[in-house]
Amino acid sequence: MTGMRTAIGLMSGTSLDGIDVALLRTDGESIVERGPSLGRSYESAFRRRLQGALETAKVIKDRTERPGDLREIDRELTLRHAEAVRTLLAENDLKPADIDVIGFHGQTVLHRPNDALTVQLGDGGLLADETGIDVVYDMRANDMVHGGQGAPLIPAYHAALAAGLSQARRGAVVFVNIGGISNLTFIGSGGERIVAFDSGPGNTLIDQWVEAHAGIPYDQGGMIASEGRVNADLAGRYLGHAFFTDPVRRSLDRNDFRPPEGKEASLEDGARTLAHVTAAAILRSARHLPERPKLYVVCGGGRLNRVIMDDLASLAQVEEAEVVAAEAVDLNGDSMEAEAWAYLAVRSLRGLPLTFPGTTGVKAPVTGGLLRKSGMAG
């Protein structure tokens, strides 16, 4: 028994833009064989409902609560994930019996690590019944029970990927995921040490800004930002936030940083300033790492914003570091998080740790996740 399993990972991030699906063959340790992947965008009406869910969820005190229409959204979200799984299977001539497990993240609507409270919409049992595949879900909660921040969880997968990078042999590598919130995973020289934490606002501020002022969900490729200038006072307000100097790293909720008021900048200057803030926040947070990185590998939607990437490259160059998109080192920057949830599901099945003291602040390495067996299994 090699421990190899075929897993599908599902990720719906803080950008609220859709579902990423990826297939992986892995032992949950060092062997990673990446398979096909796809993305499914949410229609605008459902995206607006998810945005409303963030507001509704603010009153939650117990993670099982589903006030207002959250229970209905919970079901609708799960059914969309099930359809995304069916699409991946159909496009690759696969059957449910070919898949050992689904790693299901769900949609985070509330994350308050100081209160040991994290809430993800998504019904693992319904997903298992709809797909005919066993599901591992709710992978953050056990970490918080044991004193962790509940995020980030992906570093275990980043470490497995870093072991295959030739650049990793020359010095420390940082994986940067620029989603709604940006986060860093540091793999030290030789691969022995892993440190990870949220680094600041990613796309969420830009997305909210352009949606409010241009009626579009995001700044495609940084086109709007490329027409503007950085407002130094506005940028300084964000970058002066205590989060960046606090020696205690913590995970972020998308409400920890709010977009500017409408009159503080033009559409273009606001987008340009917030793109700069996204890039600069990554480097400011990197000051808390134990070793200066030589390479930043960028994944997530933010890597497609050329203004963010140019700013990040310029700032890193000062520190003699290189910035590359995931594709430059033969990885997939769109599917990496979904791949990670597949990898973590296999680790969960094997009882292996998902989180570590250097990633979430948990007291000792701890596994996590709940397993829901499919009623159709076997």
Side-chain angles (χ1 to χ4, degrees):
M1 176 66 176
T2 64
M4 289 290 288
R5 290 177 170 87
T6 302
I8 288 175
L10 295 169
M11 181 64 193
S12 178
T14 50
S15 294
L16 309 178
D17 51 358
I19 305 165
D20 292 320
V21 191
L23 186 142
L24 205 68
R25 285 272 298 162
T26 182
D27 64 351
E29 295 185 88
S30 60
I31 302 173
V32 174
E33 299 171 4
R34 294 166 43 240
S37 61
L38 59 84
R40 283 289 176 267
S41 297
Y42 292 136
E43 67 275 22
S44 57
F46 187 67
R47 189 165 182 266
R48 285 193 295 272
R49 293 192 70 194
L50 288 178
Q51 290 170 335
L54 298 175
E55 295 300 315
T56 304
K58 287 180 179 179
V59 302
I60 292 177
K61 302 297 183 187
D62 181 283
R63 60 193 313 272
T64 61
E65 294 175 27
R66 295 293 183 267
D69 61 350
L70 290 192
R71 195 162 300 282
E72 181 183 347
I73 296 174
D74 192 86
R75 178 178 173 81
E76 292 182 19
L77 179 94
T78 305
L79 294 176
R80 281 168 169 78
H81 279 74
E83 183 58 33
V85 170
R86 287 191 286 267
T87 300
L88 182 77
L89 295 177
E91 289 184 357
N92 294 280
D93 197 25
L94 294 168
K95 303 181 296 297
D98 297 323
I99 311 300
D100 294 304
V101 67
I102 292 172
F104 182 28
H105 177 268
Q107 182 67 58
T108 299
V109 291
L110 186 71
H111 187 71
R112 291 180 182 156
N114 291 341
D115 300 326
L117 178 63
T118 187
V119 180
Q120 285 76 41
L121 298 183
D123 184 333
L126 178 60
L127 184 65
D129 292 342
E130 285 286 324
T131 60
I133 303 168
D134 293 352
V135 173
V136 172
Y137 65 106
D138 201 15
M139 288 190 238
R140 297 188 187 276
N142 197 45
D143 176 81
M144 299 183 94
V145 168
H146 289 84
Q149 293 268 310
L153 265 67
I154 295 176
Y157 183 57
H158 285 157
L161 293 179
L165 293 180
S166 60
Q167 292 94 329
R169 302 188 185 99
R170 300 200 297 268
V173 175
V174 169
F175 282 83
V176 182
N177 178 61
I178 308 178
I181 300 295
S182 293
N183 52 66
L184 308 179
T185 299
F186 165 92
I187 298 96
S189 302
E192 290 86 6
R193 187 168 186 186
I194 304 173
V195 175
F197 44 74
D198 285 353
S199 59
N203 300 316
T204 184
L205 292 177
I206 306 168
D207 293 349
Q208 290 176 80
W209 176 258
V210 299
E211 184 155 37
H213 297 278
I216 55 178
Y218 62 97
D219 182 10
Q220 185 172 7
M223 292 177 63
I224 297 172
S226 69
E227 299 293 326
R229 294 183 177 183
V230 175
N231 180 321
D233 290 340
L234 184 58
R237 192 177 83 205
Y238 284 105
L239 297 172
H241 194 289
F243 170 79
F244 297 110
T245 54
D246 190 337
V248 178
R249 299 286 81 204
R250 66 178 180 86
S251 54
L252 292 168
D253 181 83
R254 60 180 275 140
N255 293 313
D256 286 325
F257 290 86
R258 302 298 299 167
E261 297 296 326
K263 296 179 180 179
E264 291 188 89
S266 66
L267 169 65
E268 296 81 6
D269 287 356
R272 179 67 186 90
T273 301
L274 295 173
H276 175 73
V277 167
T278 296
I282 291 164
L283 271 295
R284 293 211 174 195
S285 288
R287 295 172 183 171
H288 295 273
L289 295 172
E291 182 183 349
R292 181 173 290 184
K294 292 294 185 184
L295 178 69
Y296 291 87
V297 179
V298 187
C299 56
R303 82 192 191 289
L304 304 177
N305 184 314
R306 179 45 50 194
V307 177
I308 294 175
M309 290 294 283
D310 286 349
D311 276 10
L312 186 56
S314 296
L315 292 166
Q317 187 176 29
V318 175
E319 301 182 3
E320 300 180 340
E322 181 184 6
V323 172
V324 298
E327 287 73 14
V329 288
D330 297 321
L331 299 174
N332 187 325
D334 286 326
S335 65
M336 193 181 295
E337 280 199 285
E339 292 168 16
W341 291 104
Y343 179 82
L344 291 169
V346 173
R347 288 186 70 86
S348 177
L349 289 179
R350 298 189 61 196
L352 297 171
L354 306 189
T355 56
F356 306 86
T359 61
T360 66
V362 68
K363 295 182 178 71
V366 65
T367 191
L370 300 175
L371 173 63
R372 178 62 183 260
K373 304 284 285 186
S374 166
M376 297 169 62

